[in-house]
């Protein structure tokens, strides 16, 4: 989850590295550091505990300069978040400097072995063993030393290494966490993610597991860990660098919430025929006949993406009439799952590099299942390993708490559900056309929801002192209750739970008192009989909460005359929508409610404590 940046070229390296680290702070912000090769042929290292501004202060007080170097922003795993444990890490002589994202699982036996050979360790981290291994294997050629060192490692790692004794060279290696290489004009970059280097180049490629890149002022060479040359296709990134800036918003999270109409529209464009209702999916190594033969679907995800998967279960089962199981990526491969060749396994990941999701994807493939990825990052690992990909077009998401990626995932899942239903003839043309017309109206309805932001801000002002929240929903709305609770606890540190409204009598009613806000999702689609039934049951749940003096916040459909009669304390209205598409609208007020509460409480909404954006380790 840590962030890595490296630069080699003709410009001053320090400003480029600091800028890249600033764009990667969402990956970790416990400490930061950099190392550059200076004109006096020395490696200068600067490190600081805490956020990047502390490193910037340290460099102002003790300047350093050079034309190539590496930097790191840390999310602590092994060792406390101290300056001593901050990256980069060095060998005994200070000749080798390493930055690392991942976990070295066998670092203790390696450390004991190296200590027995006379190496002296100065930190609590697992990363320091890598620097000493490179020192041990170094015989004048840095890439050969790194190649030997990585073969000693067990675990996952993304590395960037420089050496005073083999200068003007950055060696990067990947086994698990992402590494992207940028190709500029007589300058070259290495980073953990695209936004770090997007303002300098849009031409990039991703290393695959087992790849090593050697960056020099003359270019980039690629090989595998055995030294055999490899090739990777360069991708031209279409994201505008401005998309990764705040654009006048106070926080990235707020900007990304307000980008959702555009993001959902872009995810839909080119994939749907509004007049015919047909779905068109490109980038698929899954033939139409194969889609028709699938007899079950498994969806694998983590965190917010798992909540999207739960919504996807309702969508696919309703529109394609296929049984769907939803699994946590972190649990899937540990239960010997039953997967067959007639199973479609869908993996959902914003970054495409989530370690647990990748491991689950490989487990499904090993058991004979085709895998399809829903992902936001072109060329990421899950997309390369999938038989097909539905790319979401959210653009870079910098805020740690996922917002626009989630609504784009819901959009992609709806499109996939329609595609499966059309392939197995469960959806006729008339129904498809009606659903597609509903889908293309969603961005406009999102704009309406966002126009009511002052309502959510006022609600945040009234409720920000609460210590607990309960979110309730039924049917397809229950996963949105889970996601609403997750958003609140992620960024405001308030304890919150999402619960099926029908389960209130089985425990949660005991929590309700005059201090507990209860957010109830009570929207409905009058044209849908199941939706009407769930809605009527939910109205009864509101009455149950009011009878126990809870503070009731109801998310209702515009023009609903019944909800005000329940005695709800607050009512948030959203435009009417088809039952399966309502979740895309419902989550936005909950995102903004969480945001405004967190801001009122003085929390760092873009970088909540103890969290990072891309979970690239187990």
């Amino acid at each position: 989850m840590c962030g890595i940046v490296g630069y080699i070229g003709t410009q001053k390296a320090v400003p480029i590295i600091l800028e890249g680290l600033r764009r990667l702070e969402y990956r970790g912000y416990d400490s930061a550091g950099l190392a550059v090769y200076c004109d006096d042929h020395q490696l200068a290292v600067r490190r600081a505990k805490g956020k990047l501004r502390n490193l910037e202060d340290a460099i102002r007080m003790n300047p350093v300069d050079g034309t190539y170097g590496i930097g790191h922003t840390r999310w602590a795993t092994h060792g406390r978040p101290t300056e001593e444990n901050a990256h980069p890490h060095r060998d005994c002589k200070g000749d080798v400097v390493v930055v690392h994202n991942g976990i070295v699982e066998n670092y203790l036996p390696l450390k004991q072995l190296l200590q027995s050979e006379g190496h002296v360790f100065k930190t609590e981290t697992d990363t320091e063993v890598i620097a000493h291994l490179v020192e041990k294997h170094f015989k004048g050629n840095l890439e050969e030393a790194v190649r030997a060192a990585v073969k000693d490692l067990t675990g996952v790692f993304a590395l960037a290494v420089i050496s005073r004794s083999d200068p003007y060279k950055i060696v990067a290696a990947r086994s698990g966490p992402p590494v992207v290489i940028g190709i500029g004009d007589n300058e070259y970059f290495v980073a953990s993610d695209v936004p770090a280097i997007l303002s300098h180049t849009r031409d990039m490629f991703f290393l695959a597991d087992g790849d090593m890149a050697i960056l020099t002022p003359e270019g980039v060479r690629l090989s595998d860990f055995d030294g055999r040359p490899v090739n990777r296709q360069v991708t031209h990134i279409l994201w505008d660098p401005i998309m990764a800036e705040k654009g006048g918003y106070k926080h990235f999270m707020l900007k990304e919430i307000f980008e959702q109409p555009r993001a959902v529209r872009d995810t839909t464009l080119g994939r749907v025929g509004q007049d015919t209702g047909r779905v068109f999916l490109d980038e698929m190594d899954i033939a139409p006949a194969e889609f028709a033969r699938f007899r079950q679907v498994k969806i694998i995800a983590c965190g917010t993406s798992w909540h999207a998967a739960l919504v996807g279960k309702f969508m696919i089962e309703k529109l394609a009439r296929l049984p769907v199981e939803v699994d946590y990526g972190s649990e899937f491969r540990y239960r010997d799952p039953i997967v067959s060749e007639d199973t479609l396994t869908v993996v959902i990941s914003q970054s495409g590099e989530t370690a647990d999701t990748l491991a689950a994807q490989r487990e499904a493939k090993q058991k004979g299942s085709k895998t399809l990825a829903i992902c936001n990052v072109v060329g990421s690992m899950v997309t390369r390993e999938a038989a097909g990909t539905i790319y979401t077009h959210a653009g870079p998401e910098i805020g740690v708490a996922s917002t626009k990626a989630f609504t784009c995932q819901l959009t992609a899942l709806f499109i996939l559900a329609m595609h499966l239903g059309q392939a197995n003839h469960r959806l006729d043309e008339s129904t498809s056309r009606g659903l597609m017309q509903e889908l293309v109206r969603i961005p406009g309805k999102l704009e309406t929801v966002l126009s009511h932001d002052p309502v959510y801000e006022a609600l945040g002002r009234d409720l920000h002192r609460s210590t607990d929240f309960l979110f309730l929903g039924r049917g397809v709305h229950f996963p949105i209750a889970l996601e609403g609770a997750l958003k609140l606890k992620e960024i405001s540190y308030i304890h919150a739970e999402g619960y099926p409204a029908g389960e209130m009598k089985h425990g949660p009613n005991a929590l309700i008192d005059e201090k507990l806000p209860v957010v109830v999702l009570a929207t409905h689609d009058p044209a849908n009989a199941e939706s009407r039934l769930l809605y009527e049951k939910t109205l009864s749940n509101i009455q149950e909460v009011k009878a126990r003096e809870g503070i009731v916040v109801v998310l209702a459909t515009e023009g609903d005359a019944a909800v005000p009669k329940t005695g709800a304390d607050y009512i948030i209205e959203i435009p009417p929508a088809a039952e399966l598409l309502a979740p895309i609208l419902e989550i936005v007020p909950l995102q903004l409610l969480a945001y405004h509460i967190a801001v009122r409480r003085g929390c760092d909404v873009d970088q909540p404590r103890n969290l990072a954006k891309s979970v690239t380790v187990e």
Side-chain angles (χ1 to χ4, degrees), residues 297-318 322-330 332 344-350 357 360 372-375 392 402 405-414 416-417 420 475-483 486 580 583-584 587:
V297 177
K298 294 189 184 295
I299 312 180
I300 299 167
C302 299
T304 284
S305 296
W306 187 76
H307 296 154
L310 292 176
V311 177
K313 173 182 172 71
F314 284 92
M315 292 172 170
I316 294 170
E317 290 190 343
K318 182 66 175 178
L322 292 172
V324 179
E325 288 185 6
V326 177
D327 271 279
Y328 284 110
S330 56
F332 182 75
L344 174 64
T345 301
V346 180
V347 291
I348 309 176
S349 171
Q350 188 280 138
T357 304
L372 184 151
I374 294 176
C375 184
T392 55
S402 181
F406 178 70
T407 48
C408 287
Q409 287 167 355
L410 296 182
T411 304
L413 283 162
F414 187 81
L416 175 61
L420 286 166
V476 73
H477 313 287
F478 165 55
I480 304 305
L482 292 173
E483 176 62 11
L486 177 61
L580 293 177
I584 301 176
I587 189 54

Side-chain angles (χ1 to χ4, degrees), residues 17 21 31-35 46-48 55 70-73 86-88 99:
I17 294 169
L21 293 178
S31 60
L34 56 75
R46 301 288 184 271
R47 303 185 299 184
L55 175 63
I70 53 179
H72 188 274
T73 181
H87 296 218
V99 291

Side-chain angles (χ1 to χ4, degrees), residues 175-192:
S175 180
V179 178
V180 59
I181 304 295
I183 309 298
D185 185 9
N186 294 318
E187 56 185 5
Y188 306 94
F189 308 82
V190 58
S192 295

Side-chain angles (χ1 to χ4, degrees), residues 51-343:
K51 294 198 174 182
L52 185 61
R53 59 177 174 266
N54 297 336
L55 175 63
E56 292 171 327
D57 290 342
I59 292 172
R60 272 193 293 271
M61 294 175 63
N62 191 5
V64 61
D65 194 19
T67 57
Y68 82 94
I70 53 179
H72 188 274
T73 181
R74 184 175 186 238
W75 186 81
T77 53
H78 293 73
R80 296 163 295 154
T82 63
E83 180 178 342
E84 180 184 65
N85 288 328
H87 296 218
H89 288 294
R90 289 166 280 195
D91 66 337
C92 296
K93 303 173 187 175
D95 281 348
V96 174
V97 176
V98 177
V99 291
H100 168 226
N101 174 28
I103 294 176
V104 180
E105 295 174 355
N106 62 334
Y107 86 99
L108 281 176
L110 285 174
K111 184 175 183 178
Q112 292 165 0
L113 173 64
L114 290 162
Q115 286 175 324
S116 72
E117 295 173 349
H119 291 262
V120 178
F121 285 76
K122 299 179 180 179
T123 78
E124 303 168 324
T125 70
D126 57 334
T127 301
E128 193 182 359
V129 302
I130 303 172
H132 289 283
L133 281 173
V134 174
E135 177 189 16
K136 173 182 177 178
H137 291 295
F138 187 82
K139 294 179 175 61
N141 185 295
L142 181 60
E143 61 260 39
E144 292 301 328
V146 174
R147 186 170 287 118
V150 297
K151 292 179 180 179
D152 293 334
L153 302 177
T154 300
V156 294
F157 53 84
L159 307 176
V161 188
I162 59 178
S163 169
R164 181 173 59 185
S165 300
D166 189 8
Y168 303 105
K169 182 183 295 180
I170 301 174
V171 177
R174 172 181 182 162
S175 180
V179 178
V180 59
I181 304 295
I183 309 298
D185 185 9
N186 294 318
E187 56 185 5
Y188 306 94
F189 308 82
V190 58
S192 295
D193 205 351
V194 169
I197 56 178
L198 190 57
S199 61
H200 299 283
T201 180
R202 293 195 188 183
D203 294 325
M204 309 180 192
F205 60 86
F206 290 82
L207 297 189
D209 279 351
D211 280 359
M212 180 178 291
I214 299 93
L215 288 70
T216 70
E218 287 73 43
V220 179
R221 291 183 286 111
L222 295 180
S223 69
D224 63 17
F225 287 176
D226 291 320
R228 293 183 292 262
V230 296
N231 292 305
R232 299 290 170 221
Q233 183 175 357
V234 174
T235 299
H236 186 72
I237 304 298
L238 298 178
W239 294 350
D240 188 328
I242 301 301
M243 294 174 70
E245 300 293 344
K246 290 181 183 176
Y249 288 92
K250 187 176 181 181
H251 297 98
F252 279 113
M253 181 181 180
L254 186 62
K255 171 179 178 280
E256 288 157 8
I257 290 172
F258 274 81
E259 286 178 338
Q260 287 176 114
R262 189 274 310 159
V264 168
R265 188 178 289 112
D266 287 353
T267 299
T268 305
L269 285 175
R271 293 190 169 128
V272 299
Q274 191 172 346
D275 295 334
T276 63
R278 299 298 299 175
V279 171
F280 306 98
L281 295 183
D282 299 327
E283 299 154 335
M284 292 287 157
D285 190 22
I286 306 175
E290 288 183 279
F291 275 107
R293 286 198 296 268
F294 291 128
R295 292 295 173 261
Q296 64 171 329
V297 177
K298 294 189 184 295
I299 312 180
I300 299 167
C302 299
T304 284
S305 296
W306 187 76
H307 296 154
L310 292 176
V311 177
K313 173 182 172 71
F314 284 92
M315 292 172 170
I316 294 170
E317 290 190 343
K318 182 66 175 178
L319 301 182
R321 305 308 297 160
L322 292 172
V324 179
E325 288 185 6
V326 177
D327 271 279
Y328 284 110
S330 56
E331 297 289 333
F332 182 75
R333 64 194 174 113
Y334 296 111
R335 64 176 180 84
D336 192 17
I338 301 172
V339 180
S340 60
E341 292 182 357
D342 63 2
T343 301

Side-chain angles (χ1 to χ4, degrees), residues 589-601:
L590 304 187
Q591 292 169 346
L592 284 166
L593 176 62
Y595 170 81
H596 288 299
I597 287 175
V599 169
R600 284 273 172 181
R601 291 167 65 91

